Amino acid sequence: MIDDPPGDEPRRSPALARPYAWTEGRTAPAVEIAVEALVETTADGRAEAAYQTSSAPAEVLELCVRPRSLMEIAALLALPLGVVRVLVSDLMQDYLVIVRDTLSDTATWDERHDLMERVLHGLRDL
């Protein structure tokens, strides 16, 4: 913690590692993932999370026990969306999470409208 004047809210110390350090310098995911795609931890992912120390991938696994959108994960972890895309892509390749697209290319206008409504409600809840 940084010393604060009395009566002020405590401030968090700045992160010591840059976001790209969590992705080993990679900025592009192996698999393209939409911001609204739902990410859910698999049974293997839950078992793996129990063995991992505190790290960004472990936090993603813990958060996604309940399905969450890529955008929501980034907001909750306060990480850039690009970093979260790389982390989720890595976890997906290791079968620790599954990613469900919310719409297909043949989605109707009503399905697309419902998705936009859910995204707006989710953003308001954040």
Side-chain angles (χ1 to χ4, degrees):
M1 294 291 247
I2 298 172
D3 291 334
D4 293 315
D8 284 351
E9 290 291 319
R11 293 183 293 159
R12 293 182 66 196
S13 300
L16 296 177
R18 296 277 183 210
Y20 63 82
W22 296 317
T23 62
E24 298 169 352
R26 292 172 295 129
T27 57
V31 177
E32 203 51 47
I33 304 169
V35 296
E36 75 276 1
L38 296 177
V39 181
E40 186 173 3
T41 304
T42 63
D44 288 344
R46 286 190 288 279
E48 180 73 22
Y51 294 108
Q52 287 193 8
T53 60
S54 67
S55 66
E59 290 180 43
V60 170
L61 291 174
E62 190 175 314
L63 275 176
C64 294
V65 169
R66 183 186 121 217
R68 297 189 188 267
S69 71
L70 195 71
M71 183 182 344
E72 187 178 3
I73 297 165
L76 291 170
L77 295 179
L79 290 174
L81 188 58
V83 169
V84 174
R85 268 197 176 108
V86 173
L87 293 173
V88 168
S89 174
D90 291 350
L91 292 169
M92 189 175 130
Q93 288 186 315
D94 292 337
Y95 304 103
L96 300 177
V97 298
I98 55 173
V99 177
R100 293 192 180 100
D101 286 330
T102 54
L103 293 177
S104 68
D105 291 339
T106 60
T108 66
W109 186 91
D110 287 335
E111 291 171 323
R112 292 175 190 278
H113 184 265
D114 288 342
L115 172 63
M116 288 187 283
E117 292 271 332
R118 288 195 312 269
V119 169
L120 283 174
H121 287 288
L123 288 172
R124 286 185 191 121
D125 290 343
L126 289 175

